[in-house]
Amino acid sequence: MGYSVGQVAAFAGVTVRTLHHYDKAGLLSPGERSPAGYRFYSDADLARLQQILFYRELDFPLDEIAVILRDPQADALHHLRERQRRLREEIARLERLAEVAEQAIEVQRTGVALTPEERFEVFGEISFDLSYATEAQLKWRDSAAYREAMARARAHTKEDWRQLMNEAAAWRAELLAAFDADQPADGGLAMDLAERHRRHLTRWFTPCPPDTHRRIADDLAADPRAFALLVPPSQQRPGLAAYVSKAIHANASRRDGSRTDSEEHP
Amino acid sequence: MGYSVGQVAAFAGVTVRTLHHYDKAGLLSPGERSPAGYRFYSDADLARLQQILFYRELDFPLDEIAVILRDPQADALHHLRERQRRLREEIARLERLAEVAEQAIEVQRTGVALTPEERFEVFGEISFDLSYATEAQLKWRDSAAYREAMARARAHTKEDWRQLMNEAAAWRAELLAAFDADQPADGGLAMDLAERHRRHLTRWFTPCPPDTHRRIADDLAADPRAFALLVPPSQQRPGLAAYVSKAIHANASRRDGSRTDSEEHP
DNA sequence: GTTGACCCTCCCCTTACGTCAGGCTTGAGG
DNA sequence: CCTCAAGCCTGACGTAAGGGGAGGGTCAAC
């Protein structure tokens, strides 16, 4: 008589719905139907189902399974090799992702030694963007400056952070004033603000020679997540990131020109 | 003024449709709309998009990304750990799959040393089921009997296979006759057929003592793919696999009882 | 004759968009 | 001022592999 859908489903470990699906897809149609339309599967159908499930476990799409089974296995081998190649690619991709996640966890764990509550209290609107921090870590983790900055950041107490953020807020206010007053980005006022930013970084994180500062400026202009660490979205204006970047570049050139004042070596 | 969809799409490396999708999904709505309904994205929107893409690269589902970004990153960390765990699981799973594919390729490569055409010519309707062969390999590859059988199979020439399959066909015809004539499975005729099957295996593949033959019988009854190697679907009848299995068991018991005739040691 | 378990066929839902279709808007050139 | 191409809009359907449910038929047992 053959097996009913329920029986087949039970001992093949699939659902009835799946069998219906394979039937409609033409992948596995039962050899027999009762007058009432009930499906009845033969042993040959079961053999075919086992094959289907085997290839399905290897993540073959159903239509490819259909091809493999239709063909008198002319080249199941070819499909298998192809599949194995793609499996290896996927494994490599996932391993990269796991590495990124690892770094993200690492950066969060070692970046700022505050509880979430303290963090919210100190940083307020400034969001510590994990995605940006992680990409930065992946990009810069081999640089000595980055490592020093991270180490010092982690050593900061809550009071350090509060003071640091207060300084930053004051600086930000002056920046906005200068920008809104249309002070030129390469003018003295803007350059002085850039210089104060440089000293701020030097004091709290890592020495920041002109070339380093230029790289930071480029990142600020290119990646809005970086700029959001400096000026929260609510205070941003169109063109402000480019303005800051330009000011930093101008200041760096100014300092390049007069190498004598080197507070890096007091 | 902000950036249009096209601009954002171009330099974020996504399609316009994706931005529409994120908008409708409430994941990223542009800060501004022109009177005509055109979307305009601010720098803050861009920062958010970057975050979205970061998490998307880690294969986060969009609704989970929405949660992470909605929350003032209360615990992006928690989500990341969870994701990393699942990534590792998935990697392990794919590695198992790659191993299975490897074995499938191996079994196909070393099982039968014939070209596809020859194979078709010799085996005809009997399909050499790769999925079953692979599972068998994974199950038994450590057994000496399996390894010997595979080695001898591989050494068979086309002529060997042809002769072997002719013997099998003759045997099959007698089996069907016995079954259709309602000869009892534990009767002398059926047991003799079982014994001939045993000798066939012994001659062409590997010595087959009663216990080994019993295991084979159980597999024939349990897995229709195994039975299909013995009797092609077109010649099968309901209950035939169980019949063969029972006959083999009966024959094994008979031989257990009379240990003296051991043609295994001539 | 009636219950309860099983079966049937639609049909909508899921993810993260791709792919039109049909119709506005906008900026540049004539 | 008109036109044309490029760019934008909304809306709707399709994808893979089924999940879930509605509404209704079938079957064996009591």
PDB file of all heavy atoms in Angstrom, chain A residues 15 17 22 38 56 61-62, chain D residues 17-20 25-27:
ATOM      1  N   THR A  15       8.863  17.439   8.011  1.00  0.00           N
ATOM      2  CA  THR A  15       7.463  17.719   8.271  1.00  0.00           C
ATOM      3  C   THR A  15       6.621  17.315   7.065  1.00  0.00           C
ATOM      4  O   THR A  15       7.135  17.163   5.950  1.00  0.00           O
ATOM      5  CB  THR A  15       7.218  19.208   8.526  1.00  0.00           C
ATOM      6  OG1 THR A  15       7.482  19.923   7.322  1.00  0.00           O
ATOM      7  CG2 THR A  15       8.113  19.727   9.639  1.00  0.00           C
ATOM      8  N   ARG A  17       4.533  19.191   5.704  1.00  0.00           N
ATOM      9  CA  ARG A  17       4.587  20.344   4.798  1.00  0.00           C
ATOM     10  C   ARG A  17       5.745  20.235   3.818  1.00  0.00           C
ATOM     11  O   ARG A  17       5.641  20.589   2.639  1.00  0.00           O
ATOM     12  CB  ARG A  17       4.713  21.627   5.622  1.00  0.00           C
ATOM     13  CG  ARG A  17       4.701  22.895   4.810  1.00  0.00           C
ATOM     14  CD  ARG A  17       3.358  23.072   4.117  1.00  0.00           C
ATOM     15  NE  ARG A  17       3.292  24.305   3.360  1.00  0.00           N
ATOM     16  CZ  ARG A  17       3.764  24.456   2.137  1.00  0.00           C
ATOM     17  NH1 ARG A  17       4.343  23.441   1.535  1.00  0.00           N
ATOM     18  NH2 ARG A  17       3.657  25.603   1.499  1.00  0.00           N
ATOM     19  N   TYR A  22       7.919  19.290  -1.625  1.00  0.00           N
ATOM     20  CA  TYR A  22       8.717  18.538  -2.595  1.00  0.00           C
ATOM     21  C   TYR A  22       7.823  17.968  -3.686  1.00  0.00           C
ATOM     22  O   TYR A  22       8.245  17.827  -4.835  1.00  0.00           O
ATOM     23  CB  TYR A  22       9.468  17.402  -1.895  1.00  0.00           C
ATOM     24  CG  TYR A  22      10.571  17.875  -0.986  1.00  0.00           C
ATOM     25  CD1 TYR A  22      11.254  16.999  -0.154  1.00  0.00           C
ATOM     26  CD2 TYR A  22      10.955  19.222  -0.953  1.00  0.00           C
ATOM     27  CE1 TYR A  22      12.267  17.436   0.679  1.00  0.00           C
ATOM     28  CE2 TYR A  22      11.950  19.667  -0.125  1.00  0.00           C
ATOM     29  CZ  TYR A  22      12.611  18.768   0.701  1.00  0.00           C
ATOM     30  OH  TYR A  22      13.594  19.206   1.521  1.00  0.00           O
ATOM     31  N   TYR A  38      -5.061  10.842  -1.164  1.00  0.00           N
ATOM     32  CA  TYR A  38      -3.990  10.630  -0.180  1.00  0.00           C
ATOM     33  C   TYR A  38      -2.720  10.183  -0.886  1.00  0.00           C
ATOM     34  O   TYR A  38      -2.753   9.330  -1.779  1.00  0.00           O
ATOM     35  CB  TYR A  38      -4.411   9.563   0.841  1.00  0.00           C
ATOM     36  CG  TYR A  38      -5.365  10.060   1.898  1.00  0.00           C
ATOM     37  CD1 TYR A  38      -6.242  11.108   1.645  1.00  0.00           C
ATOM     38  CD2 TYR A  38      -5.388   9.469   3.156  1.00  0.00           C
ATOM     39  CE1 TYR A  38      -7.118  11.552   2.612  1.00  0.00           C
ATOM     40  CE2 TYR A  38      -6.257   9.913   4.139  1.00  0.00           C
ATOM     41  CZ  TYR A  38      -7.134  10.953   3.851  1.00  0.00           C
ATOM     42  OH  TYR A  38      -8.000  11.388   4.807  1.00  0.00           O
ATOM     43  N   ARG A  56      20.453  17.907   0.615  1.00  0.00           N
ATOM     44  CA  ARG A  56      19.943  19.088   1.325  1.00  0.00           C
ATOM     45  C   ARG A  56      20.824  19.416   2.525  1.00  0.00           C
ATOM     46  O   ARG A  56      21.084  20.582   2.820  1.00  0.00           O
ATOM     47  CB  ARG A  56      18.505  18.848   1.785  1.00  0.00           C
ATOM     48  CG  ARG A  56      17.853  20.108   2.351  1.00  0.00           C
ATOM     49  CD  ARG A  56      16.483  19.834   2.905  1.00  0.00           C
ATOM     50  NE  ARG A  56      16.533  19.095   4.150  1.00  0.00           N
ATOM     51  CZ  ARG A  56      15.534  19.015   5.014  1.00  0.00           C
ATOM     52  NH1 ARG A  56      14.397  19.628   4.750  1.00  0.00           N
ATOM     53  NH2 ARG A  56      15.652  18.333   6.114  1.00  0.00           N
ATOM     54  N   PRO A  61      20.705  23.815  -3.062  1.00  0.00           N
ATOM     55  CA  PRO A  61      19.354  24.300  -3.338  1.00  0.00           C
ATOM     56  C   PRO A  61      18.540  23.189  -3.982  1.00  0.00           C
ATOM     57  O   PRO A  61      19.092  22.326  -4.690  1.00  0.00           O
ATOM     58  CB  PRO A  61      19.560  25.461  -4.300  1.00  0.00           C
ATOM     59  CG  PRO A  61      20.934  25.289  -4.834  1.00  0.00           C
ATOM     60  CD  PRO A  61      21.724  24.538  -3.810  1.00  0.00           C
ATOM     61  N   LEU A  62      17.240  23.222  -3.761  1.00  0.00           N
ATOM     62  CA  LEU A  62      16.395  22.120  -4.211  1.00  0.00           C
ATOM     63  C   LEU A  62      16.445  21.910  -5.720  1.00  0.00           C
ATOM     64  O   LEU A  62      16.421  20.776  -6.192  1.00  0.00           O
ATOM     65  CB  LEU A  62      14.950  22.357  -3.771  1.00  0.00           C
ATOM     66  CG  LEU A  62      14.702  22.335  -2.259  1.00  0.00           C
ATOM     67  CD1 LEU A  62      13.217  22.341  -1.965  1.00  0.00           C
ATOM     68  CD2 LEU A  62      15.357  21.128  -1.619  1.00  0.00           C
TER      69      LEU A  62
ATOM     70  P    DA D  17      15.923  26.222  -1.960  1.00  0.00           P
ATOM     71  OP1  DA D  17      17.262  25.658  -1.673  1.00  0.00           O
ATOM     72  OP2  DA D  17      15.155  25.754  -3.135  1.00  0.00           O
ATOM     73  O5'  DA D  17      15.035  26.023  -0.651  1.00  0.00           O
ATOM     74  C5'  DA D  17      15.585  26.391   0.604  1.00  0.00           C
ATOM     75  C4'  DA D  17      14.544  26.188   1.684  1.00  0.00           C
ATOM     76  O4'  DA D  17      13.567  27.245   1.601  1.00  0.00           O
ATOM     77  C3'  DA D  17      13.747  24.881   1.563  1.00  0.00           C
ATOM     78  O3'  DA D  17      13.511  24.383   2.864  1.00  0.00           O
ATOM     79  C2'  DA D  17      12.448  25.339   0.913  1.00  0.00           C
ATOM     80  C1'  DA D  17      12.286  26.674   1.620  1.00  0.00           C
ATOM     81  N9   DA D  17      11.348  27.605   1.011  1.00  0.00           N
ATOM     82  C8   DA D  17      10.840  27.586  -0.261  1.00  0.00           C
ATOM     83  N7   DA D  17      10.007  28.569  -0.516  1.00  0.00           N
ATOM     84  C5   DA D  17       9.983  29.282   0.661  1.00  0.00           C
ATOM     85  C6   DA D  17       9.288  30.446   1.046  1.00  0.00           C
ATOM     86  N6   DA D  17       8.468  31.109   0.241  1.00  0.00           N
ATOM     87  N1   DA D  17       9.481  30.912   2.296  1.00  0.00           N
ATOM     88  C2   DA D  17      10.309  30.243   3.109  1.00  0.00           C
ATOM     89  N3   DA D  17      11.015  29.146   2.863  1.00  0.00           N
ATOM     90  C4   DA D  17      10.808  28.708   1.598  1.00  0.00           C
ATOM     91  P    DG D  18      13.113  22.839   3.062  1.00  0.00           P
ATOM     92  OP1  DG D  18      13.112  22.594   4.506  1.00  0.00           O
ATOM     93  OP2  DG D  18      13.970  22.014   2.158  1.00  0.00           O
ATOM     94  O5'  DG D  18      11.632  22.772   2.491  1.00  0.00           O
ATOM     95  C5'  DG D  18      10.542  22.657   3.397  1.00  0.00           C
ATOM     96  C4'  DG D  18      10.269  23.971   4.099  1.00  0.00           C
ATOM     97  O4'  DG D  18       9.833  24.943   3.134  1.00  0.00           O
ATOM     98  C3'  DG D  18       9.167  23.924   5.156  1.00  0.00           C
ATOM     99  O3'  DG D  18       9.734  24.086   6.443  1.00  0.00           O
ATOM    100  C2'  DG D  18       8.228  25.065   4.821  1.00  0.00           C
ATOM    101  C1'  DG D  18       9.060  25.898   3.819  1.00  0.00           C
ATOM    102  N9   DG D  18       8.186  26.596   2.887  1.00  0.00           N
ATOM    103  C8   DG D  18       7.883  26.227   1.590  1.00  0.00           C
ATOM    104  N7   DG D  18       7.091  27.075   0.997  1.00  0.00           N
ATOM    105  C5   DG D  18       6.863  28.062   1.940  1.00  0.00           C
ATOM    106  C6   DG D  18       6.083  29.245   1.872  1.00  0.00           C
ATOM    107  O6   DG D  18       5.407  29.660   0.929  1.00  0.00           O
ATOM    108  N1   DG D  18       6.125  29.975   3.053  1.00  0.00           N
ATOM    109  C2   DG D  18       6.830  29.603   4.157  1.00  0.00           C
ATOM    110  N2   DG D  18       6.753  30.425   5.222  1.00  0.00           N
ATOM    111  N3   DG D  18       7.571  28.520   4.252  1.00  0.00           N
ATOM    112  C4   DG D  18       7.538  27.795   3.109  1.00  0.00           C
ATOM    113  P    DG D  19       8.913  23.706   7.732  1.00  0.00           P
ATOM    114  OP1  DG D  19       9.858  23.409   8.828  1.00  0.00           O
ATOM    115  OP2  DG D  19       7.918  22.730   7.308  1.00  0.00           O
ATOM    116  O5'  DG D  19       8.142  25.071   8.066  1.00  0.00           O
ATOM    117  C5'  DG D  19       8.827  26.140   8.683  1.00  0.00           C
ATOM    118  C4'  DG D  19       7.840  27.056   9.386  1.00  0.00           C
ATOM    119  O4'  DG D  19       7.090  27.813   8.417  1.00  0.00           O
ATOM    120  C3'  DG D  19       6.800  26.358  10.260  1.00  0.00           C
ATOM    121  O3'  DG D  19       6.559  27.186  11.392  1.00  0.00           O
ATOM    122  C2'  DG D  19       5.583  26.257   9.344  1.00  0.00           C
ATOM    123  C1'  DG D  19       5.707  27.536   8.520  1.00  0.00           C
ATOM    124  N9   DG D  19       5.197  27.446   7.149  1.00  0.00           N
ATOM    125  C8   DG D  19       5.506  26.479   6.223  1.00  0.00           C
ATOM    126  N7   DG D  19       4.942  26.675   5.060  1.00  0.00           N
ATOM    127  C5   DG D  19       4.213  27.836   5.219  1.00  0.00           C
ATOM    128  C6   DG D  19       3.391  28.530   4.307  1.00  0.00           C
ATOM    129  O6   DG D  19       3.147  28.260   3.132  1.00  0.00           O
ATOM    130  N1   DG D  19       2.829  29.667   4.886  1.00  0.00           N
ATOM    131  C2   DG D  19       3.040  30.075   6.180  1.00  0.00           C
ATOM    132  N2   DG D  19       2.412  31.196   6.568  1.00  0.00           N
ATOM    133  N3   DG D  19       3.806  29.435   7.044  1.00  0.00           N
ATOM    134  C4   DG D  19       4.356  28.325   6.503  1.00  0.00           C
ATOM    135  P    DG D  20       5.662  26.680  12.580  1.00  0.00           P
ATOM    136  OP1  DG D  20       6.147  27.367  13.787  1.00  0.00           O
ATOM    137  OP2  DG D  20       5.594  25.211  12.516  1.00  0.00           O
ATOM    138  O5'  DG D  20       4.217  27.247  12.209  1.00  0.00           O
ATOM    139  C5'  DG D  20       4.063  28.620  11.908  1.00  0.00           C
ATOM    140  C4'  DG D  20       2.602  28.898  11.592  1.00  0.00           C
ATOM    141  O4'  DG D  20       2.387  28.760  10.156  1.00  0.00           O
ATOM    142  C3'  DG D  20       1.602  27.959  12.256  1.00  0.00           C
ATOM    143  O3'  DG D  20       0.651  28.755  12.940  1.00  0.00           O
ATOM    144  C2'  DG D  20       0.981  27.155  11.122  1.00  0.00           C
ATOM    145  C1'  DG D  20       1.162  28.088   9.935  1.00  0.00           C
ATOM    146  N9   DG D  20       1.281  27.427   8.645  1.00  0.00           N
ATOM    147  C8   DG D  20       2.002  26.291   8.371  1.00  0.00           C
ATOM    148  N7   DG D  20       1.933  25.919   7.117  1.00  0.00           N
ATOM    149  C5   DG D  20       1.102  26.866   6.534  1.00  0.00           C
ATOM    150  C6   DG D  20       0.659  26.978   5.191  1.00  0.00           C
ATOM    151  O6   DG D  20       0.910  26.255   4.237  1.00  0.00           O
ATOM    152  N1   DG D  20      -0.172  28.086   5.025  1.00  0.00           N
ATOM    153  C2   DG D  20      -0.522  28.961   6.022  1.00  0.00           C
ATOM    154  N2   DG D  20      -1.320  29.963   5.674  1.00  0.00           N
ATOM    155  N3   DG D  20      -0.106  28.867   7.282  1.00  0.00           N
ATOM    156  C4   DG D  20       0.700  27.797   7.461  1.00  0.00           C
ATOM    157  P    DG D  25     -16.395  19.043   2.688  1.00  0.00           P
ATOM    158  OP1  DG D  25     -17.215  19.253   1.475  1.00  0.00           O
ATOM    159  OP2  DG D  25     -17.026  18.981   4.012  1.00  0.00           O
ATOM    160  O5'  DG D  25     -15.516  17.745   2.454  1.00  0.00           O
ATOM    161  C5'  DG D  25     -14.749  17.635   1.254  1.00  0.00           C
ATOM    162  C4'  DG D  25     -13.742  16.524   1.413  1.00  0.00           C
ATOM    163  O4'  DG D  25     -12.914  16.814   2.567  1.00  0.00           O
ATOM    164  C3'  DG D  25     -14.342  15.134   1.648  1.00  0.00           C
ATOM    165  O3'  DG D  25     -13.620  14.185   0.867  1.00  0.00           O
ATOM    166  C2'  DG D  25     -14.121  14.892   3.128  1.00  0.00           C
ATOM    167  C1'  DG D  25     -12.821  15.664   3.378  1.00  0.00           C
ATOM    168  N9   DG D  25     -12.627  16.112   4.750  1.00  0.00           N
ATOM    169  C8   DG D  25     -13.315  17.091   5.411  1.00  0.00           C
ATOM    170  N7   DG D  25     -12.892  17.275   6.643  1.00  0.00           N
ATOM    171  C5   DG D  25     -11.865  16.351   6.786  1.00  0.00           C
ATOM    172  C6   DG D  25     -11.032  16.079   7.905  1.00  0.00           C
ATOM    173  O6   DG D  25     -11.044  16.610   9.009  1.00  0.00           O
ATOM    174  N1   DG D  25     -10.113  15.055   7.614  1.00  0.00           N
ATOM    175  C2   DG D  25     -10.025  14.399   6.425  1.00  0.00           C
ATOM    176  N2   DG D  25      -9.100  13.452   6.323  1.00  0.00           N
ATOM    177  N3   DG D  25     -10.797  14.651   5.379  1.00  0.00           N
ATOM    178  C4   DG D  25     -11.683  15.629   5.635  1.00  0.00           C
ATOM    179  P    DT D  26     -14.158  12.682   0.893  1.00  0.00           P
ATOM    180  OP1  DT D  26     -13.784  12.101  -0.414  1.00  0.00           O
ATOM    181  OP2  DT D  26     -15.552  12.636   1.363  1.00  0.00           O
ATOM    182  O5'  DT D  26     -13.228  12.026   2.001  1.00  0.00           O
ATOM    183  C5'  DT D  26     -11.817  12.014   1.788  1.00  0.00           C
ATOM    184  C4'  DT D  26     -11.158  10.999   2.709  1.00  0.00           C
ATOM    185  O4'  DT D  26     -11.024  11.546   4.049  1.00  0.00           O
ATOM    186  C3'  DT D  26     -11.867   9.657   2.866  1.00  0.00           C
ATOM    187  O3'  DT D  26     -10.866   8.664   2.856  1.00  0.00           O
ATOM    188  C2'  DT D  26     -12.546   9.774   4.225  1.00  0.00           C
ATOM    189  C1'  DT D  26     -11.517  10.609   4.980  1.00  0.00           C
ATOM    190  N1   DT D  26     -12.005  11.426   6.125  1.00  0.00           N
ATOM    191  C2   DT D  26     -11.345  11.365   7.317  1.00  0.00           C
ATOM    192  O2   DT D  26     -10.395  10.664   7.516  1.00  0.00           O
ATOM    193  N3   DT D  26     -11.854  12.187   8.296  1.00  0.00           N
ATOM    194  C4   DT D  26     -12.939  13.032   8.190  1.00  0.00           C
ATOM    195  O4   DT D  26     -13.302  13.733   9.140  1.00  0.00           O
ATOM    196  C5   DT D  26     -13.593  13.048   6.921  1.00  0.00           C
ATOM    197  C7   DT D  26     -14.784  13.937   6.703  1.00  0.00           C
ATOM    198  C6   DT D  26     -13.101  12.248   5.947  1.00  0.00           C
ATOM    199  P    DC D  27     -11.229   7.130   2.583  1.00  0.00           P
ATOM    200  OP1  DC D  27     -10.314   6.659   1.526  1.00  0.00           O
ATOM    201  OP2  DC D  27     -12.691   6.982   2.431  1.00  0.00           O
ATOM    202  O5'  DC D  27     -10.778   6.484   3.960  1.00  0.00           O
ATOM    203  C5'  DC D  27      -9.576   6.944   4.594  1.00  0.00           C
ATOM    204  C4'  DC D  27      -9.500   6.424   6.018  1.00  0.00           C
ATOM    205  O4'  DC D  27     -10.049   7.398   6.933  1.00  0.00           O
ATOM    206  C3'  DC D  27     -10.266   5.120   6.256  1.00  0.00           C
ATOM    207  O3'  DC D  27      -9.407   4.207   6.897  1.00  0.00           O
ATOM    208  C2'  DC D  27     -11.438   5.536   7.134  1.00  0.00           C
ATOM    209  C1'  DC D  27     -10.858   6.738   7.873  1.00  0.00           C
ATOM    210  N1   DC D  27     -11.861   7.728   8.330  1.00  0.00           N
ATOM    211  C2   DC D  27     -11.717   8.340   9.587  1.00  0.00           C
ATOM    212  O2   DC D  27     -10.752   8.029  10.297  1.00  0.00           O
ATOM    213  N3   DC D  27     -12.633   9.259   9.994  1.00  0.00           N
ATOM    214  C4   DC D  27     -13.652   9.569   9.187  1.00  0.00           C
ATOM    215  N4   DC D  27     -14.528  10.490   9.620  1.00  0.00           N
ATOM    216  C5   DC D  27     -13.815   8.972   7.908  1.00  0.00           C
ATOM    217  C6   DC D  27     -12.905   8.054   7.519  1.00  0.00           C
TER     218       DC D  27
END
